């Protein structure tokens, strides 16, 4: 447990897999996002290098307890945005405020609430894991030895913490970098491509840790990625960046539950019989007829009725799958036909 | 201000936890041992005293300068090459303080080498050539002249030779901050150490040469011998050195504060 104060939800990470309670929870969490004050406000952020503008008028807010994703193809400006937010690069126009403190004029107060991990987890290779943590602990006030121990336990690195970092695997360095970011119990966590180069188990591990931090500690998390499936799994809201502009912000959880119709992929035999059966009862809903099945857009609560009807009609059902295709379609739409990379490794829960 | 001490501890940790700091220290100690054995056994005809030995070992400050330069030029640029600069600069500490701590830690390492050189020269020289009473005057032959000296002069030699040390360390920090390249900084310092004095020597008749940094790096002529350029005075040298030193630090500071971190 990381001892961050205050904001707690009465839900645990495990609820995510539980559909019924999950729905309830999403309704609950949807409200605090709008009601609470944002922790981070990105306000018309603009960055010019020479005469080229690389970030155009970017605005969004980060709320406690949410995971906000910055999604966009490589080179869209995700990393630059993050560096501007962290004060690593100077801001040409606009501002970033953390708890109301400007990152430009009140850097020390603003950054004190922020923990970050940037791209590849770069720690001092010639120091031990523990020394790396001590190094960063010395730079903030109030981090005790107990706190360092707590973070080490949290990261699961206690067995190897006294070994030099250059002996660590990428996953271990990732966890150490995450531990470093959490050391001073920040209320905002900013992660640039946190799962880059990790194997599926590592990605899942990062995801679980992030979920715990936001749901249990009420932390606000900003992550960037160019991988859509990853964002779908981790984020509550996703901002899409292209060519330095924020083109759209989508609420992912809201999306899955607010929209009444879901797309169902059926693999069924014999197909012609099934097609005519569905056409009779749900004439408007057939989206596509495939070689081996159908794609149907249907109200979520009608799925059981559809399935039992098909069974009673004597059809053989091989597969029923909800494919929320629409989200990806939306991304493709706003990104203007620049498909996102889909080389995401299979990640089964 | 209270944050500065932990920051210097951090920089120290990063200096001394790497082998290079200790390799250079060991090399310096071996050089002292080498000159000691040389003085004892190679110059048997010329009986040399401990103080003479120590004054000649002040020449090893050039080595201290070189080694400290390696540290100075790595202390900023290594953060870039390791990519750790990003995590370093997102702490609630202003960049000036981080730079100040880095400069401080570098000067501490330089002092550590300097004091070690002095102490080890004294100990090793004393053991080989015999200890001498601390405040007894002695005479030294310089360019055929006998000069009366005492222990204070020995310390003076070390301090005056350290002027070049401080200037070169500051210069190296500037180059490595501006160009983010350790090798360029070390290379330039080596070059200047070799040719700096020669340039001044050859161009000593040129009018503006007395404003060149190299004309002031060696202040020992103000104790013994004669300045490289006619009419040079100690206060003038000090002013020129101070101007260069401030300029180096100013450039380093501005670049370090303003730079966008894009590594």
């Amino acid at each position: 447990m990381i001892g961050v104060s205050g904001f707690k939800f009465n839900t645990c990470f495990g609820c995510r897999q539980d559909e019924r309670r999950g729905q309830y929870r999403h309704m609950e969490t949807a409200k605090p996002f709008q009601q609470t004050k944002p922790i981070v406000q990105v306000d018309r952020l603009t960055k010019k290098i020479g005469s080229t503008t690389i970030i155009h008028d970017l605005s969004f807010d980060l709320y406690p307890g949410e995971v906000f994703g910055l999604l966009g193809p490589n080179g869209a400006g995700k990393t630059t945005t993050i560096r501007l937010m962290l004060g690593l690069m100077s801001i040409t126009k606009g501002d970033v405020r953390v708890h109301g403190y400007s990152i430009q004029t009140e850097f020390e107060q603003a950054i004190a609430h922020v923990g970050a991990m940037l791209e590849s987890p770069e720690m001092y290779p010639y120091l031990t894991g523990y020394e790396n943590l001590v190094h960063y602990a010395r730079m903030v006030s109030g981090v005790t030895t107990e706190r360092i121990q707590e973070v080490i336990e949290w990261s699961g690195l206690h067995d190897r913490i006294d070994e030099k970092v250059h002996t660590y695997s990428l996953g271990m360095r990732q966890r150490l970098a995450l531990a470093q970011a959490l050391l001073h119990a920040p209320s905002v966590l900013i992660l640039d491509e946190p799962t880059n180069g990790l194997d599926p188990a590592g990605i899942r591990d990062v995801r679980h840790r992030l979920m715990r931090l936001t749901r249990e500690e009420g932390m606000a998390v900003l992550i960037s990625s160019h991988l859509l499936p990853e964002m779908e799994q981790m984020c509550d809201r996703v901002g899409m960046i292209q060519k330095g502009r924020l083109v759209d912000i989508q609420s992912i959880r809201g999306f899955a539950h607010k929209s009444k119709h879901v797309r169902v992929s059926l693999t069924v035999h014999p197909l012609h019989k099934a097609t005519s059966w569905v056409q009779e009862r749900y004439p408007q809903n057939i989206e596509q007829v495939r070689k081996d099945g159908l794609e149907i857009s249907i109200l979520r609560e009608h799925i059981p009725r559809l399935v039992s009807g098909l069974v009673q009609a004597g059809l053989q059902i091989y597969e029923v799958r909800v494919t929320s295709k629409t989200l990806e379609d939306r991304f493709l739409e706003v990104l203007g036909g620049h498909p996102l990379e889909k080389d995401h490794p299979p990640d089964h829960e | 201000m209270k944050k500065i001490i932990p920051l210097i501890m951090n920089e120290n940790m990063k200096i001394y936890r790497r082998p290079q700091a200790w390799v250079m220290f060991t090399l310096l100690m071996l050089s002292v041992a080498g000159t000691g054995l040389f003085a004892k056994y190679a110059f048997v005809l010329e009986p040399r005293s401990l103080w003479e030995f120590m004054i000649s070992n002040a020449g090893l400050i050039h080595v201290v300068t070189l080694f400290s330069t390696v540290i100075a030029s790595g202390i900023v640029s290594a953060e870039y090459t390791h990519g750790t600069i990003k995590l370093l600069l997102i702490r609630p500490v202003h960049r000036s303080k981080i730079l100040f701590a880095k400069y401080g830690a570098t000067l501490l390492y330089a002092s550590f080498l300097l004091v070690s050189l002095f102490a080890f020269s004294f100990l090793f020289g004393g053991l080989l050539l015999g200890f001498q009473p601390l405040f007894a005057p002695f005479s030294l032959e310089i360019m055929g002249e006998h000069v009366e000296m005492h222990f204070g002069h020995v310390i003076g030699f070390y301090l005056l030779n350290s002027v070049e040390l401080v200037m070169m360390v500051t210069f190296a920090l500037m180059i490595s901050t501006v160009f983010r390249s350790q090798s360029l900084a070390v290379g330039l310092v080596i070059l200047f150490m070799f040719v700096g004095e020669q340039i001044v020597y050859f161009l000593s008749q040129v009018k503006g040469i007395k404003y060149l940094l190299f004309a002031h790096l060696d202040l020992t002529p103000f104790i013994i011998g004669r300045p490289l350029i006619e009419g040079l005075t100690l206060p003038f040298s000090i002013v020129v050195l101070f101007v260069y030193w401030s300029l180096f630090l100013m450039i380093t500071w501005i670049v370090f504060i303003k730079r966008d971190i894009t590594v």
Side-chain angles (χ1 to χ4, degrees):
Chain A
M1 264 291 285
I2 310 293
V4 186
S5 62
F7 215 90
K8 294 216 184 232
F9 292 100
N10 293 323
T11 48
C12 63
F13 166 71
C15 296
R16 191 155 281 264
Q17 273 106 345
D18 183 324
E19 267 323 317
R20 250 187 8 239
R21 290 182 58 198
Q23 250 175 338
Y24 166 78
R25 187 176 62 78
H26 296 314
M27 280 153 61
E28 284 292 295
T29 48
K31 279 185 213 154
F33 291 176
Q34 274 108 55
Q35 282 173 357
T36 46
K37 277 170 62 183
I39 300 186
V40 180
Q41 294 160 287
V42 177
D43 182 24
R44 286 167 294 166
L45 192 64
T46 303
K47 173 70 178 174
K48 275 187 196 169
I49 291 182
S51 57
T52 11
T53 309
I54 53 169
I55 300 293
H56 299 264
D57 254 1
L58 223 76
S59 296
F60 61 89
D61 291 337
L62 272 184
Y63 293 91
E66 78 164 334
V67 181
F68 185 89
L70 276 182
L71 178 68
N74 288 325
K78 303 181 297 272
T79 298
T80 307
T81 305
I82 285 178
R83 290 183 176 193
L84 290 169
M85 292 176 71
L86 292 170
L88 287 174
M89 292 171 92
S90 63
I91 294 171
T92 311
K93 257 202 328 245
D95 203 1
V96 174
R97 280 183 297 278
V98 184
H99 284 291
Y101 296 112
S102 160
I103 199 80
Q104 296 178 89
T105 53
E106 299 151 299
F107 175 76
E108 294 182 31
Q109 290 99 314
I111 206 76
H113 300 284
V114 183
M117 187 174 94
L118 295 158
E119 280 170 302
S120 43
E122 286 146 332
M123 309 297 279
Y124 297 101
Y126 48 86
L127 298 180
T128 66
Y130 189 77
E131 286 167 335
N132 265 287
L133 292 180
V134 165
H135 176 270
Y136 293 117
R138 280 184 188 143
M139 300 185 78
V140 286
S141 45
V143 177
T144 57
T145 350
E146 291 78 48
R147 175 64 190 166
I148 297 178
Q149 282 306 331
E150 216 172 72
V151 174
I152 293 170
E153 291 303 318
W154 183 86
S155 67
L157 284 170
H158 44 274
D159 292 337
R160 302 277 306 271
I161 201 69
D162 288 322
E163 287 174 41
K164 295 247 164 107
V165 166
H166 67 79
T167 65
Y168 284 19
S169 69
L170 180 66
M172 292 170 72
R173 272 187 289 147
Q174 198 94 17
R175 278 183 282 158
L176 185 64
L178 212 49
Q180 157 280 130
L182 295 170
L183 209 51
H184 53 299
S187 46
V188 182
L189 192 59
I190 295 181
L191 309 169
D192 194 6
E193 303 268 1
T195 54
N196 236 358
L198 289 184
D199 58 17
I203 292 174
R204 198 171 59 208
D205 181 63
V206 169
R207 194 167 68 229
H208 285 190
R209 287 170 193 279
L210 291 187
M211 291 304 167
R212 275 218 305 270
L213 290 171
T214 49
R215 304 305 178 235
E216 293 173 14
E217 321 284 348
M219 214 177 257
V221 180
L222 175 85
I223 49 179
S224 77
S225 178
H226 58 281
L227 300 168
L228 175 63
E230 201 176 281
M231 291 305 231
E232 272 186 286
Q233 284 175 327
M234 285 199 262
C235 301
D236 299 295
R237 291 191 302 148
V238 170
M240 280 165 275
I241 289 199
Q242 195 182 28
K243 293 183 183 146
R245 289 172 208 273
L246 194 65
V247 280
D248 192 22
I249 296 180
Q250 283 280 319
S251 172
I252 291 208
R253 301 299 155 202
F255 197 92
H257 293 274
K258 256 183 263 158
S259 76
K260 298 204 167 76
H261 283 75
V262 291
R263 198 167 160 137
V264 176
S265 163
L266 280 172
T267 308
V268 65
H269 185 83
L271 185 60
H272 64 277
K273 221 174 133 189
T275 314
S276 55
W277 189 90
V278 174
Q279 220 144 28
E280 239 169 72
R281 286 156 187 85
Y282 305 95
Q284 310 296 315
N285 303 43
I286 295 184
E287 299 264 327
Q288 198 191 338
V289 180
R290 293 195 319 259
K291 275 210 308 277
D292 58 343
L294 297 167
E295 303 265 328
I296 305 164
S297 171
I298 190 175
L299 282 172
R300 192 181 174 79
E301 47 268 41
H302 288 173
I303 297 175
R305 218 197 301 167
L306 170 78
V307 174
S308 63
L310 285 167
V311 172
Q312 274 159 23
L315 291 153
Q316 293 169 294
I317 301 172
Y318 291 88
E319 191 183 46
V320 180
R321 194 155 47 94
V322 176
T323 58
S324 283
K325 263 265 164 96
T326 27
L327 184 63
E328 192 184 331
D329 296 342
R330 175 79 188 129
F331 284 127
L332 289 179
E333 199 179 294
V334 287
L335 293 181
H338 283 272
L340 288 150
E341 283 176 47
K342 291 178 59 187
D343 55 356
H344 188 56
D347 178 22
H348 302 293
E349 293 251 20
Chain B
M1 203 56 208
K2 66 176 193 287
K3 272 183 184 167
I4 279 292
I5 306 278
L7 291 181
I8 291 179
M9 285 163 70
N10 272 348
E11 297 306 327
N12 280 342
M13 178 167 76
K14 288 184 267 185
I15 291 174
Y16 299 102
R17 292 294 280 156
R18 295 169 84 179
Q20 59 170 24
W22 296 104
V23 169
M24 292 191 296
F25 171 77
T26 311
L27 282 175
L28 183 69
M29 295 303 104
L30 288 177
S31 325
V32 175
T35 54
L37 294 171
F38 201 68
K40 169 93 175 168
Y41 299 108
F43 287 99
V44 273
L45 292 177
E46 194 184 336
R48 305 191 67 186
S49 71
L50 168 63
W51 303 129
E52 228 175 306
F53 173 67
M54 285 193 72
I55 287 173
S56 77
N57 263 5
L60 284 177
I61 291 178
H62 288 301
V63 179
V64 173
T65 302
L66 195 61
F67 288 170
S68 305
T69 297
V70 172
I71 296 292
S73 54
I75 204 153
V76 171
S77 57
E79 302 274 4
Y80 281 96
T81 45
H82 286 127
T84 44
I85 187 85
K86 293 173 286 188
L87 292 184
L88 186 72
L89 295 185
I90 53 164
R91 310 290 144 180
V93 178
H94 195 266
R95 288 190 189 183
S96 316
K97 286 183 198 159
I98 292 175
L99 183 67
F100 183 79
K102 285 186 176 296
Y103 187 52
T106 311
L107 290 182
L108 279 177
Y109 180 77
S111 319
F112 162 64
L113 289 190
L114 197 64
V115 169
S116 304
L117 172 69
F118 188 86
F120 195 60
S121 294
F122 179 75
L123 282 176
F124 199 68
L127 286 175
L128 280 178
L129 307 163
F131 287 99
Q132 285 176 304
L134 210 55
F135 297 106
F138 58 95
S139 76
L140 193 64
E141 197 185 305
I142 298 161
M143 294 178 238
E145 281 177 63
H146 281 274
V147 186
E148 279 291 305
M149 289 202 166
H150 55 84
F151 184 63
H153 283 97
V154 180
I155 295 181
F157 266 105
Y158 276 76
L159 288 181
L160 287 182
N161 272 300
S162 307
V163 168
E164 184 187 49
L165 171 64
V166 172
M167 294 307 290
M168 284 303 162
V169 160
T170 314
F171 175 77
L173 185 73
M174 176 185 76
I175 295 295
S176 76
T177 305
V178 173
F179 298 102
R180 282 172 285 174
S181 160
Q182 182 172 19
S183 36
L184 180 68
V186 175
L188 280 179
V189 167
I190 293 176
L191 181 75
F192 289 165
M193 281 169 67
F194 270 106
V195 303
E197 213 163 298
Q198 314 296 324
I199 293 174
V200 177
Y201 184 75
F202 285 119
L203 301 178
S204 58
Q205 299 309 313
V206 181
K207 222 176 166 195
I209 201 74
K210 63 176 180 171
Y211 298 106
L212 204 65
L213 173 65
F214 310 120
H216 309 279
L217 287 180
D218 186 9
L219 296 181
T220 45
F222 290 115
I223 296 188
I224 44 161
R226 191 176 321 136
L228 276 170
I229 302 166
E230 289 294 329
L232 218 55
T233 63
L234 187 61
F236 179 78
S237 286
I238 290 173
V239 168
V240 172
L241 285 170
F242 182 75
V243 168
Y244 272 100
W245 180 78
S246 322
L247 190 73
F248 291 164
L249 278 186
M250 190 79 84
I251 293 171
T252 313
W253 182 72
I254 291 171
V255 171
F256 193 76
I257 298 297
K258 295 283 174 203
R259 167 163 285 151
D260 280 354
I261 308 300
T262 52
V263 286

